[in-house]
Amino acid sequence: MPGMPAWIMAPAALWAFATWGVRVLRGVNDALGQTVKSEKIRTVAGLLACAALLVLHLGGVLSMPVLFIHQLVYLFGMMLAFKIIVLEAFRPGRENGSGAGLARRPSLKLSLEQKRAYAGEFAKYSFPLFLQLVAVTLALMADRWLLQVFEGNVEQGYFSISQKVGMGCFLCISAMTPLLTRELAVAHGKNDHAEMGRLFTRFAPMLYAIAVYFSAFACLEARALVNIFGGGQ
């Protein structure tokens, strides 16, 4: 990208790793039935990060290096908090996600045969996801590249604003989806297809209606939203 300093690559890569780590540990907490704790921490951390960002902006010290430091402190802080929740779940005498007590902390050492079995299962499970990820990544890069080549940075800004507004319409849904996913996973683990159907039939239309409500509002108030987030220009 023209005009971007070379040093940006290292903190950007670290930011990508931290974002991935937060998602993995959040998924582990969901699997252990610790969703409520992790979501509370995520909410508090998000509010604190937002307040810190506002202070940096009002103080006139918000620059690209400062923003990267802010983001990395926020992400690694959440990773640490999520890891503490995981360790708490495996403390002897505590209950895991299935409601069963844990007599002792499980050993994480694997034999060579176990490592091979896990590696084979992981490769078999992940390969279709890897192909999908490659295709999606190339498509997103092509979108941005074509927009930059044919329209320039101003249109990139318009596209980013509209994209953020669209993401805002799904804010409530993205917070509720892990809860629904966990309940579906629990029902699937019990081979209870009727419960899975009931959960999906009950909550999918509701989540869809919430998304439609905010999306319709954004469409009708597009001019006001552009003026608020993008300015009079």
Side-chain angles (χ1 to χ4, degrees):
M1 299 177 67
M4 284 293 176
W7 64 262
I8 197 176
M9 296 299 295
L14 193 58
W15 178 89
F17 167 77
T19 302
W20 170 80
V22 167
R23 290 176 180 173
V24 170
L25 289 172
R26 184 183 175 191
V28 172
N29 283 323
D30 290 340
L32 293 173
Q34 304 295 322
T35 303
V36 174
K37 286 184 178 181
S38 62
E39 289 301 311
K40 284 182 178 179
I41 287 177
R42 196 166 73 97
T43 300
V44 173
L47 292 173
L48 292 175
C50 185
L53 196 63
L54 184 62
V55 170
L56 293 172
H57 170 69
L58 295 177
V61 295
L62 188 59
S63 60
M64 190 177 296
V66 173
L67 182 60
F68 267 117
I69 293 173
H70 168 273
Q71 285 288 293
L72 292 175
V73 169
Y74 164 64
L75 291 172
F76 278 101
M78 280 207 299
M79 287 178 65
L80 178 61
F82 286 169
K83 184 176 180 180
I84 291 174
I85 294 177
V86 172
L87 296 177
E88 280 286 321
F90 281 106
R91 179 178 294 178
R94 305 277 293 191
E95 289 188 349
N96 60 14
S98 62
L102 294 170
R104 60 185 179 85
R105 181 169 295 181
S107 174
L108 299 179
K109 294 182 179 180
L110 300 176
S111 66
L112 183 59
E113 292 183 358
Q114 288 176 319
K115 290 179 180 178
R116 289 175 178 173
Y118 274 116
E121 182 181 355
F122 180 78
K124 182 179 179 180
Y125 180 83
S126 301
F127 186 67
L129 299 176
F130 172 75
L131 293 180
Q132 181 197 28
L133 179 63
V134 171
V136 170
T137 302
L138 292 176
L140 292 174
M141 291 176 64
D143 284 344
R144 288 290 189 167
W145 182 79
L146 288 172
L147 186 60
Q148 182 68 29
V149 169
F150 289 101
E151 296 296 338
N153 60 322
V154 175
E155 294 297 325
Q156 287 275 15
Y158 292 152
F159 180 79
S160 296
I161 291 176
S162 61
Q163 190 179 46
K164 296 299 182 184
V165 172
M167 292 170 62
C169 295
F170 292 97
L171 190 62
C172 295
I173 295 178
S174 63
M176 297 170 66
T177 300
L179 300 175
L180 176 59
T181 303
R182 178 185 178 275
E183 294 303 318
L184 286 171
V186 171
H188 183 270
K190 298 177 181 178
N191 203 26
D192 190 348
H193 294 162
E195 176 65 9
M196 293 177 67
R198 187 192 70 82
L199 289 169
F200 188 84
T201 304
R202 179 181 179 184
F203 291 105
M206 181 181 67
L207 296 178
Y208 176 77
I210 294 174
V212 169
Y213 176 82
F214 286 107
S215 299
F217 175 81
C219 289
L220 294 173
E221 300 296 336
R223 185 178 297 275
L225 289 173
V226 170
N227 285 331
I228 291 172
F229 295 108
Q233 291 179 324

